[in-house]
Amino acid sequence: MMYWILFIMFGIAAIVIAVLVGGSTAPRFHVVARAIVLRAPLADVVGAVRAVDDSPVNLEITADDLPHTLRARVIGDDQSVQGEWLWRLTSDADGTRVTVTERGETPNPLARFAAAYATGHTKQLDRYLRALGDRLGDRNVRIDDGLADTE
């Protein structure tokens, strides 16, 4: 009976060590971008983008050059992603293309492990872009990699 308890405790310790080592070796800094094309005119999209209160992360606007770009600082605690989001809006044949780029840092090794191996760095961007599409009545938008649109 005692061996089973030791075996379980060893297993839990091994998992914790693996997560900490994996998080410590994962990159601390990242740049990811996601993009969608909304079937809405640029003016409508600008109004919806300015309503960043609906964002899945806390943002503080640092530069508003809309209708083409918007910058916001990610306001987080020491455990989560820190950095900035940059929006680029361009007219497209089908409507308006919205590209959001996150330049971030994840100081906490546990959060880095989760982002690198479990949830990914694009989860928040994807959730934001889906909500933006819903807000503009454009459901089931196709989200693609927006790195080609970044500066």
Side-chain angles (χ1 to χ4, degrees), residues 48-98:
V49 166
R50 274 202 176 108
V52 293
D53 298 336
D54 295 356
S55 171
V57 296
N58 293 326
L59 298 167
E60 174 183 69
I61 296 175
T62 58
D64 185 343
D65 297 319
L66 286 172
H68 301 292
T69 61
L70 178 75
R71 285 185 189 274
R73 182 174 62 90
V74 176
I75 303 168
D77 55 25
D78 292 337
Q79 309 304 315
S80 60
V81 173
Q82 302 167 357
E84 84 170 357
W85 280 19
L86 170 68
W87 289 257
R88 288 197 181 281
L89 281 66
T90 54
S91 294
D92 185 271
D94 297 324
T96 304
R97 183 172 177 81
V98 178

Side-chain angles (χ1 to χ4, degrees), residues 17-144:
I17 290 169
V19 168
L20 288 173
V21 169
S24 295
T25 60
R28 185 180 181 114
F29 299 95
H30 64 276
V31 176
V32 292
R34 304 296 275 168
I36 59 172
V37 175
L38 297 168
R39 292 176 301 209
L42 182 62
D44 292 350
V45 176
V46 166
V49 166
R50 274 202 176 108
V52 293
D53 298 336
D54 295 356
S55 171
V57 296
N58 293 326
L59 298 167
E60 174 183 69
I61 296 175
T62 58
D64 185 343
D65 297 319
L66 286 172
H68 301 292
T69 61
L70 178 75
R71 285 185 189 274
R73 182 174 62 90
V74 176
I75 303 168
D77 55 25
D78 292 337
Q79 309 304 315
S80 60
V81 173
Q82 302 167 357
E84 84 170 357
W85 280 19
L86 170 68
W87 289 257
R88 288 197 181 281
L89 281 66
T90 54
S91 294
D92 185 271
D94 297 324
T96 304
R97 183 172 177 81
V98 178
T99 304
V100 184
T101 304
E102 176 180 277
R103 293 178 189 335
E105 173 185 8
T106 311
N108 183 297
L110 295 176
R112 265 198 315 259
F113 178 86
Y117 303 109
T119 61
H121 289 293
T122 62
K123 181 180 178 182
Q124 301 291 6
L125 294 175
D126 290 350
R127 188 170 9 166
Y128 169 79
L129 290 172
R130 277 192 203 91
L132 183 63
D134 288 347
R135 173 181 274 223
L136 292 165
D138 205 348
R139 308 237 188 285
N140 300 319
V141 293
R142 187 177 68 86
I143 300 173
D144 60 37

